[in-house]
Amino acid sequence: MDPAVAAFEEGNEEFVKENWQAALQSFSKACELNPQQPDYLLHKAAALSKLSRHGEAIVVCDEAIKLDPKSAKAFLRKGMALLNSGNGDQARVVLEQGAAIDPDNKSFASWLKKCPPPAAGTNLEIGKHDQVHDTRCSALLTNHMAV
């Protein structure tokens, strides 16, 4: 059996037993042996989150997203870790991105309900912030040039 697969399966067994540290060690080994496997990274992120190491889990999810930008599961795990680390606004953005990839996945709606509502007047959608900024800059330049 492939050593990466064996380490991954061992990690799954430890995870089911709620041996988070042992699961993390096995998933980390699987990641080292096959760093191009997003599922190994996502299981590592889950173990990190179970150990309340949410910041590390977020970084690992970002690695998985780089490998597979269409992985709704990576966005879900990242959003969960962000929310659990107190970053509700960022979590909302990430969870909405994941929901756009997999709109039938009910987990996104469930986790989005746990996010704080966006503050009035804020725009958290990716790309729209830049549009607002560009509009303001254009207005300032227009006013400045009229003087």
Side-chain angles (χ1 to χ4, degrees), residues 29-98:
K29 183 177 179 182
C31 290
E32 289 170 18
L33 294 169
N34 186 352
Q36 299 302 309
Q37 178 52 264
D39 283 343
Y40 295 173
L41 291 166
L42 293 175
H43 281 72
K44 179 180 178 179
L48 286 163
S49 286
K50 289 292 188 178
L51 292 165
S52 296
R53 292 166 58 180
H54 304 297
E56 293 171 75
I58 293 164
V59 171
V60 172
C61 287
D62 284 337
E63 291 175 32
I65 290 168
K66 283 180 190 172
L67 292 174
D68 183 4
K70 299 276 186 208
S71 171
K73 187 175 183 179
F75 285 94
L76 180 62
R77 288 263 164 86
K78 182 177 178 180
M80 292 164 58
L82 283 163
L83 188 61
N84 287 327
S85 66
N87 295 307
D89 290 341
Q90 290 177 330
R92 176 174 293 285
V93 172
V94 170
L95 291 166
E96 287 174 348
Q97 288 175 305

